[in-house]
Amino acid sequence: MIKRLLLIFLPLVLTFSYLNQGYAQRRKFNRRQILKNNKNIRNFRGRKNFFDKSRRYNYFGFSINALNYFGDITPRATIGSTDISFTKPAFGFHVGHRFGPRYTLLGGYTYGTLEGDDAISSAPDDIESRYRYVRNLSFRNQIHEWSIKAIFDLWANEGTYISRVRWTPYIFGGIAVFHHTPQAKVSEASDLPEAGQWVDLQPLGTEGQFAEIPGAGSTQFGKQYKSVQLALTPGIGARLRLNEVLDLSIETGMRYTFTDYLDDVSGNYVDDWVLTSDLARELADRSMELVSSDGAERDFETIDTFTGRQMVENPFTMETTEKIRGYGSTGLDNIRGNSQDFDVYLVTTIKVSYILGGSIRKAKFR
């Protein structure tokens, strides 16, 4: 009888013991798992929010711009001087790729003209600008600029283009490649066949870039500059959302170039007889012209009170030419421009951008 009872209850006891042991182990495992989960929760700092493909977008647009020039032909001999009367319009287009909540890469093209004129930006009775009035140089320069800029928004947009912020200020920076062609207008009173015409200055070598000295061959007094140059493009702006697919931006950015020849002016004067053409000689030194570029007669009575005249002799022909002292001939103090600072120009922009692939959602009514 006892053997039968053991045979019946012994499996039950063993089964219960096994189940109890398994429960204890599972309880111990669950406890360790809970402690681990609690530790993970305590250390959680938020999951990184990746700006996935669904939130990125491309856009393009057009702009109208204003260009201002900072260089040697300005009212003051300081790097920050400009003549706002020479603010010139420009136009451009751009394409952009939004690849982060704050980040955009923008490529663009801008075309416009820079101008400067000593006769307008200076006066013979102004002690700070009268020497530029005597110099009497002027120029225009047609700029073709291609740029790529990185834009950083101050307000982040974590969602798609539809939920982008209403407006945001931003900063940007990048690099530009530009082609420039400085020109000057030959005086109407000139005896040259180019009288009254705009001519390119770079091929003339007005500061002795292509000088020729009899008996010594060719030499170079000034630096021969290139028509294609680089510039850095820092700036600030603000962008306003007009609707789901249109943005309006206003920005201003400097163009810090690596050339001092946007105006074809940088170093010292050279003697007439080393220049290679009559046209180069006429446009290198315009201090003796009787009429300024705006058609006004020049005030030589005032000029002579603080400069004076001198005769410059060509040592090879013994011919002499009258010059205003300090202008139009080789000399350490005969400064035509400031070679210590590169030229700069400012681009102020209003642009409209359209988001590619976007659409305007229409309200639904019952």
Side-chain angles (χ1 to χ4, degrees):
M1 184 68 178
I2 294 173
K3 290 181 178 180
R4 290 180 179 178
L5 291 174
L6 291 173
L7 291 173
I8 294 172
F9 288 103
L10 184 59
L12 294 174
V13 172
L14 293 174
T15 300
F16 177 78
S17 176
Y18 174 78
L19 293 174
N20 187 50
Q21 184 179 3
Y23 173 75
Q25 291 177 347
R26 288 195 301 274
R27 184 178 179 183
K28 185 177 181 180
F29 173 79
N30 289 338
R31 185 182 178 188
R32 288 199 302 267
Q33 187 65 38
I34 290 171
L35 292 174
K36 183 178 180 182
N37 290 341
N38 288 341
K39 183 178 180 181
N40 290 338
I41 290 172
R42 287 196 304 270
N43 295 331
F44 181 70
R45 293 295 182 269
R47 180 173 297 175
K48 189 173 182 179
N49 185 11
F50 291 98
F51 205 78
D52 58 30
K53 184 181 292 187
S54 66
R55 301 179 186 183
R56 302 170 193 164
Y57 58 86
N58 299 315
Y59 63 89
F60 80 98
F62 300 92
S63 64
I64 56 174
N65 312 278
L67 302 186
N68 291 92
Y69 149 82
F70 301 82
D72 292 292
I73 305 180
T74 51
R76 296 287 182 266
T78 58
I79 193 171
S81 177
T82 189
D83 189 338
I84 61 173
S85 68
F86 286 107
T87 301
K88 296 299 175 183
F91 71 89
F93 63 84
H94 58 273
V95 293
H97 175 64
R98 180 86 170 189
F99 62 90
R102 298 177 186 269
Y103 316 112
T104 301
L105 194 63
L106 186 75
Y109 166 78
T110 302
Y111 170 76
T113 302
L114 304 175
E115 287 190 11
D117 193 329
D118 283 336
I120 296 174
S121 299
S122 60
D125 55 355
D126 183 350
I127 193 170
E128 289 193 42
S129 67
R130 62 187 184 182
Y131 290 98
R132 286 186 290 283
Y133 176 84
V134 180
R135 184 179 59 181
N136 193 40
L137 295 178
S138 60
F139 84 103
R140 75 177 183 186
N141 197 337
Q142 296 176 332
I143 303 292
H144 297 267
E145 178 193 279
W146 298 265
S147 64
I148 184 165
K149 296 180 287 190
I151 298 175
F152 178 80
D153 290 351
L154 271 63
W155 317 146
N157 171 32
E158 302 288 354
T160 65
Y161 73 91
I162 293 176
S163 60
R164 67 192 187 280
V165 294
R166 176 65 62 184
W167 80 281
T168 180
Y170 59 86
I171 59 176
F172 62 85
I175 192 167
V177 178
F178 65 93
H179 180 276
H180 71 116
T181 311
Q183 297 179 318
K185 187 176 183 181
V186 182
S187 172
E188 298 279 358
S190 172
D191 295 329
L192 297 177
E194 295 88 356
Q197 300 178 19
W198 287 92
V199 297
D200 293 348
L201 292 169
Q202 193 266 359
L204 300 178
T206 55
E207 293 187 352
Q209 290 92 337
F210 312 109
E212 292 184 359
I213 299 179
S218 298
T219 186
Q220 183 172 312
F221 290 92
K223 183 179 179 181
Q224 184 177 353
Y225 58 93
K226 305 296 183 182
S227 296
V228 177
Q229 299 284 345
L230 295 175
L232 301 179
T233 64
I236 59 173
R239 183 172 59 255
L240 174 67
R241 171 182 166 177
L242 298 179
N243 58 32
E244 283 89 343
V245 295
L246 288 177
D247 285 334
L248 175 68
S249 302
I250 300 176
E251 66 183 40
T252 182
M254 303 299 294
R255 300 298 190 266
Y256 291 102
T257 75
F258 296 91
T259 179
D260 193 30
Y261 283 100
L262 289 181
D263 44 25
D264 192 64
V265 179
S266 179
N268 286 21
Y269 286 98
V270 296
D271 291 312
D272 286 349
W273 46 268
V274 306
L275 297 175
T276 56
S277 68
D278 290 336
L279 185 58
R281 284 185 275 274
E282 180 146 334
L283 297 180
D285 174 27
R286 311 191 72 167
S287 60
M288 293 291 290
E289 291 186 1
L290 300 178
V291 178
S292 62
S293 61
D294 59 357
E297 291 188 7
R298 302 185 64 226
D299 186 0
F300 282 100
E301 183 177 349
T302 302
I303 290 173
D304 288 335
T305 62
F306 62 87
T307 57
R309 307 290 179 96
Q310 65 177 356
M311 302 302 294
V312 178
E313 182 181 69
N314 184 332
F316 298 97
T317 64
M318 302 303 174
E319 295 179 355
T320 58
T321 306
E322 186 181 39
K323 296 284 186 180
I324 294 178
R325 190 177 302 277
Y327 296 80
S329 61
T330 301
L332 292 177
D333 296 328
N334 295 0
I335 298 172
R336 192 169 184 262
N338 178 13
S339 61
Q340 302 303 311
D341 297 315
F342 291 137
D343 293 335
V344 178
Y345 62 99
L346 174 71
V347 182
T348 304
T349 302
I350 299 176
K351 62 185 179 183
V352 176
S353 304
Y354 174 80
I355 296 175
L356 295 171
S359 60
I360 300 176
R361 296 179 299 173
K362 297 181 179 179
K364 295 182 179 180
F365 301 94
R366 293 181 178 274

